[in-house]
Amino acid sequence: MSNTATFTDNRNGKTYEFPIIDGELGPSVVDISNFYTQTGMFTLDKGYTSTAMCKSAITYINGEKGELRHRGYDIAWLAENKVFLDVVHLLLHKKLPSQSELDAFRKKLKTKSFINERMLGLFNAFPDKAHPMAVLQACVATLSAYYSRDMNYDDPHEYMELAERLVAKMPTLAAFYYRHAMGYPLIYPDLDRGFTENFLYMMRSFPHSHVDIRSIEVKALDTVLMLHADHEQNASTTTVRTVASTHSHPYSCISAGIGALWGHAHGGANESVVRQLEAIGSVENVDKYIKKAKDKDDPFRLMGFGHRVYKNYDPRAKVLKGLRDKLVDELDIDSNLIKIANRIEKIALEDEYFVSRNLYPNVDFNSGLILKALNIPTDMFAVMFVIGRAPGWMAQWMELKEQGNMKIVRPRQLYIGPKIGCEENTSKNDIEYSGKQ
Ligand code: CMC
């Protein structure tokens, strides 16, 4: 029979049928929502490598081909032809804006980019060496306190306002963190500047001198932000959706997402890449580090390599490599680090260890080098990822709301602990297990 998958329990010969659902693109899914009620068993999928957690119309990835699309548009085409705010509009409003719509959208976000002055006191509460991701996570959670009353989260107009407000305020929060950490005077958003230029303005400006922002720098940062805008059900987006499923405040969901993104296996990788390239120090040392990366007994990993979904060159990494090479003559990109990065990439693309495991450069491999050339402090690289990803998270949050019938995310487990006080052989299906993961 077509459109169903049959599961047979070989212990008793019983068979069960589950519907197969086709998407528009990509692998079909077997709907196992009723698996437990039918079979009395759970499925086990560590890291959710075979699990689709939702239906979504926002982003499509073909990991084998190295393809990424937002609402149907190819990322390489978007990077070539559009700006970050076009993609923000595409994610939130489901369509690319016309020029006049883009202008109006830019203007609207600018008016939402200020933060309540009472929130400034928050920055004093952090120790001098606080990591910016810790500060940003706290700031976004605090924002939920400012927008928690008199809001109707079921009204699409109100939640769109919430989404746009978050996207608009994120660069201000990031720049305020930096100014405060450095002891510099706060610089408020400049309504005459574009979204990305305004961020560089808030980072670099001083009341006593002219701020120098080159258009090539704006273009580079804008592209980096765009390439991070959404990436389907990655760890942080899944976190946002999971918290949203409990009907928590949307900014509390985003704050949780920032926590998930911070880790070096996810958004913290761009910071780790640059720190690793600096630790390698010279092209002569690359072979030694490649050997470490391949050694099963050494926890060392090549940062900026590998991806759960891409088993081909990450299309975002391709765009960034082109951008990085274009910027070399115009920006102060550390040529020693580029030489090391190029050597690592060349070896990895030919070496059996990396080839057989499909370990290609990912988005973080070059984004850190570009951010460093823009004088963004290294510990703020993941913050730049957050500014880029905020619209994607909010689009995913809104999609969940729109789809309705929100089911709390509540997975189960295979219990492997002691059975003190339990009768022997009470397990429903008498499953044998080794007790090891
Ligand atoms: N260096 C060396 N070996 C690696 C690496 C690496 N960067 N990545 C994976 N492997 C090996 C791993 O040891 C394993 O080998 P074996 O099969 O012999 O045990 C195999 O490749 C599969 O690795 P995995 O950890 O099971 O794969 P995963 O899909 O669970 O993890 C990953 C994906 C991105 C966490 C991982 O590749 C990694 O840690 N990369 C470095 C960190 C990094 O660059 N993260 C940024 C990801 S892209 C930004 C984003 O979207 O968040």
Side-chain angles (χ1 to χ4, degrees), residues 240-241 244-245 395-404 406:
V240 169
R241 279 188 180 257
S245 79
Q396 300 270 350
W397 183 88
M398 290 197 292
E399 182 175 73
L400 190 61
K401 288 290 282 180
E402 281 166 14
Q403 287 174 348
M406 208 141 71

Side-chain angles (χ1 to χ4, degrees), residues 136-370:
L136 195 59
Q137 193 175 6
C139 284
V140 173
T142 305
L143 269 187
S144 64
Y146 283 83
Y147 299 99
S148 59
R149 292 199 182 244
D150 307 323
M151 301 225 46
N152 177 4
Y153 303 122
D154 293 326
D155 175 351
H157 176 72
E158 292 214 16
Y159 57 65
M160 181 62 82
E161 288 284 309
L162 273 173
E164 291 178 347
R165 190 182 285 131
L166 184 89
V167 172
K169 290 186 194 313
M170 208 62 102
T172 314
L173 291 173
F176 276 17
Y177 153 80
Y178 172 70
R179 308 290 306 192
H180 194 271
M182 299 300 289
Y184 297 159
L186 294 187
I187 301 292
Y188 287 79
D190 179 350
L191 298 186
D192 291 330
R193 295 175 194 267
F195 185 91
T196 304
E197 184 191 343
N198 176 56
F199 173 71
L200 290 173
Y201 164 78
M202 289 189 290
M203 291 289 286
R204 294 182 183 176
S205 227
F206 283 98
H208 53 71
S209 58
H210 173 74
V211 59
D212 181 23
I213 302 167
R214 296 157 65 197
S215 54
I216 182 93
E217 295 180 299
V218 177
K219 167 75 187 149
L221 183 57
D222 198 78
T223 307
V224 170
L225 295 180
M226 182 199 289
L227 293 174
H228 287 90
D230 192 54
H231 213 230
E232 65 85 325
Q233 308 312 318
N234 53 80
S236 54
T237 303
T238 298
T239 302
V240 169
R241 279 188 180 257
T242 301
V243 182
S245 79
T246 71
H247 301 268
S248 180
H249 189 286
Y251 293 168
S252 148
C253 306
I254 303 300
S255 174
I258 294 173
L261 191 86
W262 186 357
H264 68 240
H266 192 7
N270 49 14
E271 177 180 341
S272 306
V273 168
V274 168
R275 295 203 191 283
Q276 192 169 86
L277 292 174
E278 285 169 347
I280 294 172
S282 78
V283 175
E284 288 70 44
N285 292 333
V286 167
D287 288 359
K288 190 173 86 194
Y289 282 89
I290 293 276
K291 211 169 152 199
K292 273 167 78 61
K294 290 159 55 174
D295 182 353
K296 281 260 140 250
D297 299 323
D298 191 328
F300 179 85
R301 281 194 168 195
L302 267 192
M303 288 294 128
F305 269 81
H307 199 276
R308 170 61 62 78
V309 182
Y310 293 119
K311 301 305 165 202
N312 203 324
Y313 214 109
D314 179 339
R316 303 166 301 170
K318 230 181 235 173
V319 173
L320 283 180
K321 185 160 191 255
L323 182 68
R324 186 202 79 182
D325 292 343
K326 260 193 222 157
L327 293 174
V328 165
D329 295 334
E330 308 199 44
L331 291 183
D332 186 21
I333 296 191
D334 189 324
S335 58
N336 183 44
L337 296 192
I338 290 197
K339 277 188 207 144
I340 299 170
N342 282 341
R343 176 81 186 135
I344 291 174
E345 182 172 342
K346 186 169 182 327
I347 295 179
L349 291 179
E350 291 166 358
D351 188 292
E352 194 277 331
Y353 174 92
F354 295 90
V355 173
S356 64
R357 288 169 180 76
N358 297 310
L359 299 172
Y360 292 86
N362 59 47
V363 68
D364 293 313
F365 191 60
N366 281 307
S367 64
L369 289 172
I370 295 172

Side-chain angles (χ1 to χ4, degrees), residues 52-65:
M53 79 100 67
C54 61
K55 294 180 185 175
S56 180
I58 302 171
T59 292
Y60 170 72
I61 301 175
N62 183 327
E64 278 66 40
K65 274 168 65 182

